[in-house]
Amino acid sequence: MKKFNALLLSSTCFAVLLAAPAMAQDAVPETGRDSTTSSGDEGSLVVTGTRIVRPNNRSAAPITTTTSAEIAAQGATTIEEVLNRLPQVQVNSEQNFSDSEGRQRIKLRSLGYERTLMLVDGMRIGLPNTVDVGIIPNALVERVDVLTGGASAVYGSDAVAGVVNFILKKNFSGIRVDGNYSFFNHNNRSSAVTDAARRAGFDSASGMSNDGARADVSLAAGTNLFNDRVNVSAFVNYRQSSLVRLRDRANAVCEVVTTSNTSPLSCSRASYTPAGTIIPRAGASAGTVLVNNPNGNGTFIPINSGPAGASANPYDDWAFQRPFNRVNAGGFLTAQINDHVELYSNVLWYRDKSYNTQLNRTYSYSVYGSTPYQVNCDNPFLSASQAQTLCGANAGVAGQYAPLDVRYRFDGMPLVRQQFTNTGYRVVAGLRGRVLDDVWSYDVAGMLSRAQLDTIDVPFAKFDSVNRSLDVVNVNGRPTCRSVVNGTDGNCVPFNAFAPFNNDAALNNYLYGNASGGISTRIPRLLQFVGTISGDLGKYGIASPLAEQGIAIALGGEYREEMERTVVNAIYQQNNGGTNQRVTQNILEAFGEIQAPLVENRPWTKLLQLNAGYRLSKYNRLDSKFGTWKIEGIWSPVADISFRASLNKAQAAPGVGTAASASNIFWNQGFYADPCAPRIDPANPSAPRIAPVATQQQCANTGLPANLYGSTTLICPDDRCTVREGGFDLKPETAYTKTFGVVLRPRFVPGLTVSVDRWLIDLKDQLDFLQPQNLINDCLSTGNDYFCRAIVRNANGTLYSSPATRPATGWVARGSANGYRSQSHGWDFQGQYDVGMGSVGRLEMSFNGTLMTRVASQASPTATSRNCVGYWGNSCGESMPKWAHQMRTTWILPERIASVSLNWRHRSAMPLDVYAPASTGIPTADPSQRRDQFPGIKAYDWFDLALSFDVNKQMTFRLAANNIFDRDPPIVPDSRSRIGLLRGNTIMGYDLLGRQIVAGVSLRL
């Protein structure tokens, strides 16, 4: 017994030291099933959307639940893949985003990551917008609850679009091994993309391919001790993903673009070529883009003029599926100290390594500055023809140099990598229990979450090294760097940039072997303490006379401390700029909830219940406190039908980084030239300046007197006017969320549950990052003070003041500020039907669909609100489809020894926004933006098949085929120029790599 007490004492001290106390008692999942689910006993009940601890809690807000069985049936490697199938989620695929740093984040309802709060067992995962839900291993997930709509009164800031709550498996006993292996089995077919590639001279993948292997292996073990009063469990998980390049898919072999409505698709061409791109910067050919003739005859030919090597695909070796390997580990502890105190603690840790492949190439001199490279005119690598083109009359003359640009692609050398290493841990510890005759429940807990996000840039050759390698002389018949001869750089290797297909490993090693990429590190940290007490006042007689249950309440407080640190090494600063910084923010909150059953089990009403909640928040970086609240109601006139409604005021305060950058004012130069000053003639930069880009009337909107319009005194040095960074007085975003719906459980159809919910999220004062050029353009075109107030001219009309003087005038603002408003409206439809079929087993069917009715944004009070639902493009971004659903039908054999499951996923058509009618408010596009051959994306359907059977009591085997018909993603020309992100000629939300085959096994020992 002494050992037992010592163990409990040390565990308690460990818990308090590591974080101390808080586990949110959340809200009850009412899904398509609309059933109450829990994890563990009532003491550890985790419900999503409330902190009131009460059996048979019911949610007044719609909650979608994904179970562990559904996760296993999909065979997903990352939790991101699981959630991407939900129609409530705006799809994001970090595995298929070649500019990604590997973090997985979730965004609900088209409102962004920063407005979706992510939790584990009711407590925050980490600092908002630096969260990586990859810390959660799939095999340890009991269920995932997605509550859409505001929940700030329960959870605090950021729960504007909704909450994603990961409920983990706990109190595990025994040993369990779970493993999944998957790959893509895809048929590369001919298409408009392959036709464009053929015209460009690029090879395309064809026929069947098997690639993109992924693996996910978990080992979990747990045991009960001291007569089951203590449970200890731990797990380790390994996941990895193999590289799939863009050129491994026929539909992504090159980036296709269109130049007009009637033009055929064409492939983007690189300015870096394996034959070697040479651009003279002086002489008769100045500015002409040439390449070394691929036949090696020592002549230059125009780029993209035909021969192989004279043109190149800029993205063929970029990743379509990013390779990564991730290790997760963790442990759980629960200890029943006595009848009133339970200690609990858990630790999650992860390390993720991934990289983006990029071409091995020199950089243009323009990357370093405005000074071109130079080649000596007597360089032995130059043919007479090449020397004439570059040097003119100085061809072959010693001591003479010609300016040029060199863009050489070393296709024979290994690809370079931009690397990412993300590590982090999350520790939770707390005490909970029941006291005072079990009337009151308490839960006090603490959480510490810390991550380190390292970005390692590709090696960056020094400008001087490239320049020295181009300055070559003949020494005893051997080309030698001049710097070797004169002793300036004895390691220099001559660069023959004037012969095609240079694969000189020694040169590559000289340029990059001693170079290292700059390293940028972000270190986000979140400390959270939560204390909650929850009581059923019915035990004291406080109840409605028409109800059987009493009024229940929850009261609590929360403290959070946010910290974000940025560290950049000297190489990163030299190549990219940036500074080291550390910023903090702390939050103090108090909250309360009440749940009041008014009528229960009466002939005329089965249930009538009201819920309410309020939270008061104080941020040390904000001037004042703010409050959030919720009011909810449930009415069931009979057992078969329930009506539910909720009204929430949710808020999202500026994150620590945003708040700090807004309050730290400093001055800079760049980003814009004064549009009211004479401008450089783009056709002849050395000629006299021409008229301003803006009209006199537009310039009056910026505060410029008419007599100064077009004055040369307005010209800023180097056309880089002054910028004031920060200084915006930020306030929290505010969203009013309304949901109302009906849940049907007809007794005459046992096992059937159907719910329909309407939700409306109206966000105002949204946080935006404002750029000077955008503010100027909007001010010029509208004259609205909302934009024009950010332009502060000097008394003489100029927009230039020395940044060192901290000027009061003479600048345009830049930084995070409160914008105007956004809206997200729609309907959710959910259903569940379970029916027994006697000796042949059971049939389970579930349906989850979302009808979007509004995805709107309004930049300013005078701007036209645009409704982008169902459209995508320059004006709407990715937006959301008007309708999306998934429907799963599962046949389960008796005693659940085997099951067969078919899942049907659907997304409605999404036209290009240039075809949107005027009634949407989407700006009318110039007719030249139409693309009648590719006007948008048609409706899409996918089908997934999963099989599961028990080999014996200890082993379950699974097979799955996702996208069984190998449906190609839609071809979307110009997708990157319109919305950025993917270079694979498509957008997110579609199965990008084809049919996926999955095999999995679970062993229980």
Side-chain angles (χ1 to χ4, degrees):
M1 192 63 183
K2 289 182 179 179
K3 291 183 179 179
F4 177 62
N5 290 335
L7 172 64
L8 294 183
L9 179 61
S10 62
S11 298
T12 304
C13 294
F14 176 77
V16 172
L17 287 173
L18 277 181
M23 181 180 198
Q25 302 292 351
D26 318 284
V28 173
E30 293 206 29
T31 68
R33 300 171 188 253
D34 271 292
S35 60
T36 300
T37 60
S38 65
S39 179
D41 57 26
E42 188 181 325
S44 60
L45 183 72
V46 177
V47 290
T48 302
T50 181
R51 295 182 186 272
I52 291 175
V53 179
R54 167 178 267 178
N56 301 318
N57 238 340
R58 284 192 174 181
S59 173
I63 297 175
T64 301
T65 293
T66 301
T67 66
S68 58
E70 292 173 288
I71 295 171
Q74 183 180 342
T77 306
T78 66
I79 204 70
E80 176 189 58
E81 298 172 69
V82 175
L83 293 175
N84 277 346
R85 290 192 172 191
L86 299 179
Q88 293 83 4
V89 172
Q90 185 169 21
V91 175
N92 183 59
S93 183
E94 296 291 331
Q95 285 201 90
N96 304 109
F97 178 13
S98 56
D99 294 331
S100 163
E101 60 186 29
R103 288 185 297 118
Q104 301 167 38
R105 299 165 292 171
I106 310 300
K107 51 184 174 181
L108 295 173
R109 306 297 196 198
S110 76
L111 290 174
Y113 312 109
E114 63 278 6
R115 301 182 185 100
T116 299
L117 183 60
M118 285 170 275
L119 311 171
V120 174
D121 291 332
M123 293 193 70
R124 294 171 181 249
I125 293 181
L127 197 63
N129 215 27
T130 64
V131 161
D132 184 353
V133 296
I135 194 173
I136 300 165
N138 295 359
L140 266 289
V141 176
E142 179 70 32
R143 72 177 197 268
V144 183
D145 292 342
V146 177
L147 182 153
T148 51
S152 292
V154 177
Y155 297 113
S157 180
D158 310 316
V160 170
V163 170
V164 179
N165 192 11
F166 299 93
I167 313 301
L168 301 185
K169 298 174 181 177
K170 295 173 283 291
N171 296 327
F172 179 71
S173 180
I175 299 174
R176 181 181 176 110
V177 179
D178 293 277
N180 282 325
Y181 177 81
S182 66
F183 63 93
F184 292 97
N185 170 244
H186 176 65
N187 185 19
N188 287 290
R189 309 170 182 90
S190 297
S191 66
V193 176
T194 59
D195 291 342
R198 184 173 56 255
R199 290 191 293 270
F202 301 152
D203 294 331
S204 301
S206 63
M208 295 298 299
S209 65
N210 295 300
D211 57 15
R214 302 176 182 178
D216 180 6
V217 180
S218 293
L219 170 64
T223 186
N224 294 312
L225 304 170
F226 307 106
N227 296 321
D228 296 337
R229 293 174 64 88
V230 175
N231 178 269
V232 179
S233 59
F235 74 91
V236 63
N237 169 251
Y238 175 76
R239 284 174 275 179
Q240 71 89 28
S241 172
S242 301
L243 172 67
V244 178
R245 298 164 298 187
L246 286 168
R247 64 183 169 103
D248 292 330
R249 289 294 179 269
N251 272 7
V253 64
C254 69
E255 181 186 53
V256 290
V257 296
T258 53
T259 56
S260 71
N261 191 22
T262 57
S263 65
L265 297 185
S266 60
C267 292
S268 293
R269 307 289 187 96
S271 63
Y272 295 80
T273 62
T277 302
I278 305 296
I279 307 173
R281 302 311 304 172
S285 299
T288 305
V289 183
L290 305 170
V291 296
N292 297 306
N293 195 322
N295 67 14
N297 68 358
T299 62
F300 292 133
I301 62 174
I303 193 171
N304 303 326
S305 56
S311 61
N313 183 342
Y315 305 119
D316 52 359
D317 278 315
W318 286 57
F320 209 166
Q321 174 174 281
R322 303 172 64 251
F324 74 84
N325 66 76
R326 178 184 286 261
V327 178
N328 292 61
F332 303 88
L333 166 69
T334 58
Q336 193 69 45
I337 298 175
N338 56 45
D339 291 343
H340 304 294
V341 181
E342 181 185 57
L343 165 71
Y344 64 92
S345 181
N346 63 74
V347 179
L348 299 175
W349 174 88
Y350 77 98
R351 187 207 65 203
D352 176 79
K353 291 186 175 182
S354 63
Y355 62 87
N356 293 323
T357 52
Q358 295 187 19
L359 302 170
N360 191 325
R361 57 184 178 173
T362 62
Y363 285 109
S364 164
Y365 74 84
S366 60
V367 172
Y368 303 94
S370 57
T371 303
Y373 297 127
Q374 292 192 94
V375 63
N376 55 307
C377 291
D378 60 340
N379 190 306
F381 289 137
L382 286 172
S383 69
S385 172
Q386 291 170 329
Q388 181 64 37
T389 301
L390 294 173
C391 297
N394 290 326
V397 178
Q400 296 297 315
Y401 289 84
L404 79 166
D405 197 6
V406 176
R407 303 182 183 185
Y408 212 105
R409 173 170 158 171
F410 300 103
D411 275 11
M413 296 290 104
L415 298 174
V416 295
R417 298 178 178 182
Q418 184 182 36
Q419 302 179 70
F420 304 92
T421 300
N422 301 329
T423 59
Y425 61 82
R426 180 181 181 273
V427 180
V428 175
L431 299 170
R432 63 191 171 207
R434 287 185 172 275
V435 294
L436 302 177
D437 297 325
D438 290 343
V439 175
W440 294 91
S441 299
Y442 69 90
D443 192 335
V444 289
M447 186 276 295
L448 173 63
S449 173
R450 184 186 186 276
Q452 180 167 320
L453 315 174
D454 292 327
T455 299
I456 306 172
D457 276 350
V458 297
F460 203 83
K462 294 181 179 179
F463 175 85
D464 290 340
S465 297
V466 179
N467 227 10
R468 285 195 291 265
S469 71
L470 292 170
D471 189 2
V472 180
V473 295
N474 205 330
V475 178
N476 299 322
R478 181 178 180 179
T480 305
C481 293
R482 191 184 305 273
S483 59
V484 171
V485 176
N486 61 26
T488 305
D489 182 358
N491 296 316
C492 179
V493 176
F495 182 7
N496 187 356
F498 311 103
F501 314 116
N502 187 326
N503 291 323
D504 188 343
L507 168 67
N508 208 253
N509 186 62
Y510 166 68
L511 294 178
Y512 299 103
N514 296 320
S516 60
I519 301 176
S520 173
T521 299
R522 286 179 74 185
I523 303 175
R525 188 193 69 198
L526 174 65
L527 183 62
Q528 179 186 18
F529 295 93
V530 181
T532 307
I533 57 171
S534 172
D536 187 347
L537 303 184
K539 302 291 179 67
Y540 303 126
I542 303 175
S544 165
L546 300 178
E548 297 174 358
Q549 297 184 95
I551 293 174
I553 63 171
L555 301 171
E558 182 170 347
Y559 173 80
R560 296 194 302 276
E561 182 179 283
E562 301 176 347
M563 185 277 289
E564 186 164 352
R565 186 154 59 101
T566 302
V567 180
V568 291
N569 68 359
I571 297 175
Y572 188 94
Q573 289 180 327
Q574 178 182 339
N575 296 341
N576 306 288
T579 58
N580 296 336
Q581 61 177 349
R582 182 183 185 276
V583 292
T584 61
Q585 177 170 259
N586 59 68
I587 305 102
L588 187 62
E589 298 178 315
F591 56 85
E593 287 185 74
I594 185 170
Q595 189 180 94
L598 303 179
V599 180
E600 287 184 292
N601 297 319
R602 301 290 171 170
W604 42 277
T605 290
K606 180 70 174 176
L607 174 66
L608 177 63
Q609 178 176 298
L610 292 179
N611 307 328
Y614 183 80
R615 176 179 291 247
L616 184 64
S617 303
K618 172 58 180 171
Y619 282 66
N620 71 316
R621 286 187 175 273
L622 297 180
D623 292 335
S624 59
K625 305 178 181 69
F626 63 89
T628 55
W629 47 261
K630 70 170 183 175
I631 301 173
E632 303 174 332
I634 303 173
W635 176 45
S636 299
V638 294
D640 307 65
I641 184 170
S642 296
F643 298 97
R644 58 189 181 187
S646 67
L647 175 62
N648 279 267
K649 178 191 177 186
Q651 292 192 285
V656 57
T658 300
S661 64
S663 60
N664 297 331
I665 302 175
F666 64 96
W667 281 260
N668 197 356
Q669 277 182 262
F671 303 103
Y672 73 100
D674 192 334
C676 303
R679 59 189 167 113
I680 295 173
D681 185 351
N684 189 0
S686 60
R689 291 189 174 230
I690 58 178
V693 68
T695 67
Q696 181 177 329
Q697 182 177 356
Q698 289 176 325
C699 289
N701 294 338
T702 71
L704 184 72
N707 65 309
L708 292 175
Y709 174 73
S711 170
T712 57
T713 61
L714 301 178
I715 299 172
C716 297
D718 297 323
D719 278 330
R720 299 172 68 247
C721 298
T722 303
V723 177
R724 190 199 70 183
E725 304 271 6
F728 292 95
D729 186 17
L730 299 184
K731 57 184 176 181
E733 302 175 321
T734 301
Y736 291 95
T737 300
K738 297 180 283 290
T739 65
F740 43 91
V742 60
V743 181
L744 304 175
R745 300 183 185 89
R747 282 169 286 185
F748 56 85
V749 186
L752 175 65
T753 301
V754 176
S755 66
V756 179
D757 291 277
R758 174 67 163 159
W759 48 270
L760 304 100
I761 303 173
D762 297 305
L763 176 70
K764 67 176 185 178
D765 297 324
Q766 64 185 33
L767 288 169
D768 296 319
F769 192 88
L770 304 180
Q771 294 284 5
Q773 194 62 63
N774 294 336
L775 290 165
I776 290 170
N777 291 341
D778 288 330
C779 176
L780 293 173
S781 60
T782 68
N784 190 334
D785 184 62
Y786 189 85
F787 305 111
C788 297
R789 61 185 176 176
I791 303 171
V792 183
R793 293 186 178 274
N794 287 317
N796 62 0
T798 61
L799 285 175
Y800 176 77
S801 297
S802 171
T805 64
R806 302 181 61 85
T809 59
W811 41 260
V812 176
R814 178 177 184 263
S816 295
N818 289 100
Y820 199 52
R821 67 182 184 184
S822 295
Q823 295 174 306
S824 185
H825 298 172
W827 294 83
D828 279 341
F829 300 85
Q830 298 182 57
Q832 179 77 30
Y833 183 47
D834 297 350
V835 58
M837 299 189 298
S839 61
V840 296
R842 294 186 60 80
L843 191 67
E844 295 185 354
M845 292 181 286
S846 63
F847 180 86
N848 180 17
T850 293
L851 175 68
M852 298 291 298
T853 59
R854 190 165 186 82
V855 175
S857 61
Q858 188 173 355
S860 72
T862 59
T864 301
S865 178
R866 62 184 69 171
N867 183 12
C868 284
V869 64
Y871 292 95
W872 75 275
N874 291 98
S875 297
C876 290
E878 295 177 78
S879 191
M880 297 280 283
K882 185 169 290 187
W883 171 257
H885 76 248
Q886 66 171 337
M887 179 177 181
R888 183 176 291 278
T889 302
T890 305
W891 172 38
I892 304 172
L893 272 64
E895 299 184 14
R896 309 187 77 87
I897 61 172
S899 66
V900 180
S901 180
L902 179 67
N903 188 41
W904 169 31
R905 295 176 284 136
H906 174 84
R907 282 171 67 96
S908 61
M910 293 189 68
L912 194 61
D913 55 20
V914 300
Y915 295 94
S919 60
T920 62
I922 297 171
T924 302
D926 186 277
S928 65
Q929 296 300 308
R930 294 175 64 93
R931 294 295 182 265
D932 294 339
Q933 299 175 73
F934 295 90
I937 300 170
K938 296 179 180 180
Y940 259 68
D941 294 279
W942 303 267
F943 294 91
D944 314 312
L945 183 65
L947 310 175
S948 173
F949 58 90
D950 291 339
V951 177
N952 52 43
K953 291 184 178 181
Q954 287 76 39
M955 178 183 291
T956 300
F957 187 72
R958 297 179 300 275
L959 283 174
N962 298 318
N963 186 7
I964 56 178
F965 296 115
D966 193 26
R967 187 91 191 263
D968 283 326
I971 297 174
V972 180
D974 309 301
S975 59
R976 187 168 61 91
S977 63
R978 291 185 186 275
I979 60 172
L981 300 183
L982 287 176
R983 295 173 171 83
N985 306 319
T986 191
I987 65 175
M988 303 292 190
Y990 301 85
D991 285 22
L992 301 175
L993 298 176
R995 180 192 301 114
Q996 185 184 35
I997 308 297
V998 185
V1001 64
S1002 295
L1003 299 175
R1004 298 168 292 277
L1005 306 175

